[in-house]
């Protein structure tokens, strides 16, 4: 028996096993957060008493939904579990009348998403830097987020997500903000949104002066050449490339008004 079920907060340690085996950076807190934001959009397949596959879909209003955490235990791959979960997630989103659906696809996941009609939008890169000695500055700054700017960057309102991420680490001003949070393998820098290059640089430099002693992951859109330059100059190296993919959910949907030039770091492959 392998029915699709809603993921529950009690599933997080098993879900964590799936992401850890895949080498992902998510923590159990990340799983808890996704489930708390989208309790009716997080699905799993349980078989032989184990959670063996997952997929999550977060709605940012009616404009945009983000699919993530598409994972199948290596022992259970090739049995159609990810396909069933994707179908279920897309049915759920059709019921929510969402205009656009996006995700960040690994090379393993991409053929599956293409078969559902997702089209390539742009590349997303994971950059990494190992910790260096002697950085211990403290970061000071506002934590009142410029939500209008985030809306202009991302194309829709993701204030609920940002409110849940900001307590881990956040510095903000009227022209930008940066956040960071713990990861399973490295500290995660992101999301970071800035109106101008100087602000992006200031936020990133401030973050790095306080946290450069730790290993850091930074997921960026290579179309933002300023972000790429900042990452290279600070000694980060590109470790992985994923493909951001898009599916039109509703026929009459007008284009999403996002602006990648404001995006210095994404919020996570599972959030966009
Ligand atoms: C990608 C992943 C979720 C697929 O899970 P799965 O349950 O094995 O997938 P399914 O059995 O439903 O297969 C779906 C499609 O994936 C592809 N696929 C699955 N197994 C494959 C294999 N061994 N070789 C090539 N393609 C394969 C096929 O396109 C398949 O399409 P089909 O139904 O027409 O055969 C799984 O390999 C995985 O967890 N990978 C690591 C994490 C990851 O990269 N996740 C994607 C994040 S975007």
């Amino acid at each position: 028996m392998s029915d699709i079920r809603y993921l529950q907060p009690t599933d997080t340690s098993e879900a964590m096993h799936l992401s850890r085996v895949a080498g992902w950076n998510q923590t159990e807190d990340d799983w808890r957060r996704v489930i708390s934001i989208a309790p009716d959009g997080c699905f799993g397949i349980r078989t032989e008493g184990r959670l063996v596959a997952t997929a999550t879909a977060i709605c940012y209003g009616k404009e945009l939904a983000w699919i993530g955490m598409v994972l199948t235990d290596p022992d259970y791959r090739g049995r159609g579990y990810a396909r069933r979960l994707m179908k279920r997630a897309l049915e759920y989103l059709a019921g929510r009348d969402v205009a656009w659906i996006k995700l960040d696809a690994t090379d393993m996941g991409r053929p599956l998403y293409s078969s559902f009609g997702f089209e390539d939008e742009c590349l997303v890169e994971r950059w990494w830097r190992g910790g260096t000695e002697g950085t211990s500055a403290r970061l000071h700054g506002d934590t009142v987020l410029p939500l209008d700017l985030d809306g202009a960057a991302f194309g829709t309102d993701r204030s609920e997500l940002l409110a849940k991420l900001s307590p881990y680490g956040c510095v903000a001003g009227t022209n930008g903000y940066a956040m960071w949070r713990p990861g399973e393998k490295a500290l995660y820098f992101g999301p970071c949104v800035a109106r101008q290059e100087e602000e992006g640089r200031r936020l990133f430099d401030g973050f790095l002066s306080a946290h450069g002693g730790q290993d850091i992951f930074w997921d960026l859109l290579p179309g933002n050449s300023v972000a790429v330059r900042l990452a290279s100059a600070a000694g980060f190296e590109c470790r992985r490339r994923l493909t951001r993919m898009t599916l039109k959910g509703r026929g009459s949907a007008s284009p999403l008004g996002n602006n990648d030039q404001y995006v210095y770091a994404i919020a996570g492959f599972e959030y966009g």
Side-chain angles (χ1 to χ4, degrees):
M1 220 11 211
S2 58
D3 290 338
I4 295 178
R5 307 170 183 212
Y6 292 114
L7 287 179
Q8 305 292 330
T10 48
D11 290 324
T12 53
S13 72
E14 283 183 280
M16 190 61 210
H17 172 73
L18 296 180
S19 53
R20 194 178 282 131
V21 166
W24 289 7
N25 195 44
Q26 280 85 1
T27 62
E28 212 167 325
D29 255 9
D30 287 314
W31 280 102
R32 270 188 219 104
R33 190 180 316 107
V34 178
I35 295 170
S36 76
I37 294 174
D40 51 356
C42 294
F43 306 100
I45 291 180
R46 193 167 267 290
T47 189
E48 295 164 358
R50 297 166 57 188
L51 181 68
V52 297
T54 57
T56 62
I58 290 178
C59 294
Y60 298 109
K62 281 201 179 297
E63 283 102 5
L64 176 66
W66 209 275
I67 290 187
M69 303 296 209
V70 180
L71 280 162
T72 301
D73 183 308
D75 292 342
Y76 292 84
R77 288 183 189 163
R79 302 186 188 189
Y81 288 171
R83 179 172 295 287
R84 284 177 55 199
L85 285 168
M86 274 301 291
K87 187 166 172 290
R88 180 72 184 82
L90 292 175
E91 284 165 3
Y92 158 70
L93 295 176
R96 298 282 301 255
D97 200 25
V98 173
W100 294 94
I101 304 163
K102 295 195 187 190
L103 52 80
D104 289 334
T106 62
D107 288 345
M108 281 182 101
R110 199 155 156 246
L112 172 67
Y113 309 131
S114 298
S115 74
F116 281 100
F118 280 83
E119 292 180 358
D120 294 358
E121 177 181 317
C122 64
L123 288 178
V124 193
E125 292 178 348
R126 163 151 293 181
W127 290 62
W128 174 88
R129 189 183 103 144
T132 55
E133 295 292 321
T135 42
S136 60
R138 292 203 63 77
L139 262 186
H140 297 286
D142 280 350
T143 49
V144 179
L145 293 171
L147 291 174
D148 54 337
L149 178 62
D150 189 72
F154 195 64
T156 186
D157 176 4
R158 54 175 179 175
S159 49
E160 183 187 355
L161 171 66
L162 299 182
K164 285 184 190 282
L165 293 178
S166 60
Y168 293 93
C170 174
V171 62
T174 47
N175 288 316
Y177 74 87
M179 295 186 189
W180 52 93
R181 61 183 186 272
E184 172 73 1
K185 302 173 87 168
L187 183 68
Y188 189 81
F189 175 62
C192 176
V193 164
R195 205 182 298 275
Q196 310 94 354
E197 176 171 346
E198 309 83 70
E199 182 66 359
R201 182 184 305 278
R202 191 187 72 78
L203 289 164
F204 171 66
D205 287 348
F207 160 77
L208 200 63
S209 66
H211 297 285
Q214 299 176 55
D215 292 1
I216 299 166
F217 278 140
W218 174 2
D219 298 333
L220 56 78
L221 303 172
N224 183 336
S225 56
V226 179
V228 173
R229 275 207 312 276
L230 282 176
S232 305
F236 282 74
E237 53 193 61
C238 181
R239 283 286 174 93
R240 288 177 74 192
R241 282 199 175 83
L242 284 80
T243 307
R244 181 156 288 188
M245 302 181 85
T246 306
L247 179 71
K248 198 169 188 179
R250 193 177 344 111
S252 58
S254 49
L256 199 67
N258 58 310
N259 185 344
D260 291 349
Q261 295 312 306
Y262 291 158
V263 178
Y264 283 71
I266 70 165
F269 297 136
E270 70 276 38
Y271 296 124

